Amino acid sequence: MPFPLAQVANPQGENLRNTIDALARTPLSEILILVTVCTVLRLALAGPLKNTPVHLRSGFYPVLKFLNEAMDAIVYAAVFVFMIIRPFALQTFLIPSGSMVSTLLVNDMIVANKWVYRTSDPKPGDIVVFRPPAWGVYPEQLGADGVPKVDFIKRCIGGPGDLVEIRKGELFRNGQKVAEPYVKYTSTMDQIRFTELPPERRDQIAQDDFKLVEQDGEVIPVHSFGPYTNSRDLVVSKYVVDPIDGETLRAKPAVKIPEGYYLMMGDNRNTSSDGRYWGLVPRESIVGKSEAIWFPFSRWQVTR
């Protein structure tokens, strides 16, 4: 059955979502400036407020006292949220694309647990937030320093030592077929609204083969359409090869995911730019694990 288009479009609260997302991504340098300014102003007000006689504490005194206490609260909140909670524990993220439909919809806001991967490693099936490779993003997603300024969210399909293959659209891990009830195949009108393809149409396109092979000492992705990027031009076409080289690569045996790397794919399998195109994610690029959708409130649920 098609997904309800209004549900997937999810337009309510757009301004609130954008504001929260902008706040969540505020650079630490800006937070430090805010904390410094508030601290200086508090110190400047502290003396006059303390030395004002009781009988003169009227007029502007209550206003200045309120501002002093407000800045005190801002400093403590900024330090607690942006220097403790955000780096080490939790952070909210806005879902910008339909690559995880229907698990995550466009404009959902999720809470990512950053602490969990400080004490453990990602497991197959986890929904993971990570920093993508530079060759896996579009030009507008690159910062001036050449580093991606976006985070991706996909499902972990395999970790170090796993032999992962897709055969005719079916996932195999270490030789065992893996059930993927979360996988969808969709069509989209405008990158916001999605409809699930009928079974006959899905059967036509869900025939992709995929594996990882070794080439010149590097483990690279290869699938039945050749080791290249998707239809939109990415920043660097790292795995684009000519047809002859593609046939040579497809003839190579599948290899395991090397130590320190993970394979990520989107649940919306035919519309996701993921590890099948731009390869593996190093452990140090992993940010956290999606725990729940918290906004819009009608979509609140634990993510699995």
Side-chain angles (χ1 to χ4, degrees):
M1 295 294 292
F3 301 121
L5 295 186
Q7 176 191 8
V8 177
N10 203 5
Q12 293 80 14
E14 181 177 358
N15 291 335
L16 177 59
R17 269 191 298 267
N18 292 336
T19 299
I20 294 172
D21 187 55
L23 287 173
R25 295 177 179 276
T26 303
L28 185 57
S29 59
E30 295 182 12
I31 299 300
L32 290 174
I33 291 172
L34 174 65
V35 168
T36 301
V37 170
C38 288
T39 300
V40 170
L41 291 175
R42 284 191 62 239
L43 292 174
L45 289 173
L49 288 173
K50 181 179 179 181
N51 297 326
T52 300
V54 175
H55 67 282
L56 295 179
R57 293 180 180 181
S58 58
F60 284 109
Y61 180 88
V63 176
L64 296 177
K65 187 174 185 294
F66 171 79
L67 290 175
N68 185 57
E69 293 173 349
M71 285 185 288
D72 187 44
I74 290 172
V75 168
Y76 281 110
V79 170
F80 182 69
V81 172
F82 291 97
M83 298 182 188
I84 298 176
I85 297 297
R86 187 175 74 172
F88 302 108
L90 301 171
Q91 185 174 344
T92 184
F93 292 89
L94 175 66
I95 304 303
S97 74
S99 68
M100 288 294 290
V101 166
S102 62
T103 306
L104 299 173
L105 306 183
V106 178
N107 289 331
D108 278 346
M109 298 203 76
I110 61 118
V111 174
N113 182 342
K114 290 185 169 183
W115 180 255
V116 65
Y117 292 146
R118 290 179 175 272
T119 57
S120 64
D121 292 319
K123 299 177 179 60
D126 287 357
I127 299 175
V128 180
V129 179
F130 58 94
R131 295 181 297 274
W135 55 87
V137 301
Y138 304 112
E140 64 271 19
Q141 296 174 317
L142 271 185
D145 56 359
V147 176
K149 57 184 180 180
V150 295
D151 297 295
F152 279 10
I153 182 165
K154 310 286 183 185
R155 192 177 295 273
C156 179
I157 300 299
D162 285 333
L163 182 67
V164 176
E165 298 177 86
I166 294 179
R167 308 171 193 165
K168 302 299 182 183
E170 302 287 350
L171 176 68
F172 289 80
R173 186 185 304 116
N174 301 321
Q176 301 297 313
K177 184 177 177 180
V178 178
E180 294 190 288
Y182 45 77
V183 166
K184 302 297 180 184
Y185 288 81
T186 72
S187 62
T188 177
M189 299 171 57
D190 51 16
Q191 302 302 314
I192 294 179
R193 294 173 294 173
F194 297 82
T195 55
E196 188 171 2
L197 295 176
E200 62 274 13
R201 178 63 180 141
R202 171 189 167 135
D203 291 343
Q204 291 176 359
I205 67 172
Q207 297 296 315
D208 196 13
D209 291 338
F210 166 84
K211 61 184 175 181
L212 296 165
V213 304
E214 187 172 355
Q215 173 80 345
D216 299 328
E218 183 180 8
V219 175
I220 68 173
V222 178
H223 51 81
S224 55
F225 299 109
Y228 55 76
T229 61
N230 60 358
S231 57
R232 291 179 61 190
D233 291 330
L234 300 183
V235 173
V236 180
S237 299
K238 182 172 181 178
Y239 299 121
V240 174
V241 297
D242 63 43
I244 295 177
D245 288 339
E247 290 300 324
T248 300
L249 290 173
R250 283 192 290 274
K252 286 176 172 280
V255 299
K256 295 179 179 180
I257 299 173
E259 285 298 318
Y261 288 88
Y262 293 82
L263 177 64
M264 309 292 182
M265 294 185 192
D267 289 357
N268 193 0
R269 200 55 57 85
N270 66 310
T271 64
S272 174
S273 173
D274 53 37
R276 294 169 296 166
Y277 300 95
W278 39 252
L280 300 172
V281 176
R283 180 65 175 83
E284 59 268 22
S285 293
I286 290 175
V287 175
K289 177 184 178 182
S290 173
E291 295 289 3
I293 301 168
W294 72 272
F295 191 85
F297 302 128
S298 60
R299 287 271 299 152
W300 192 95
Q301 58 188 289
V302 174
T303 51
R304 294 187 176 89

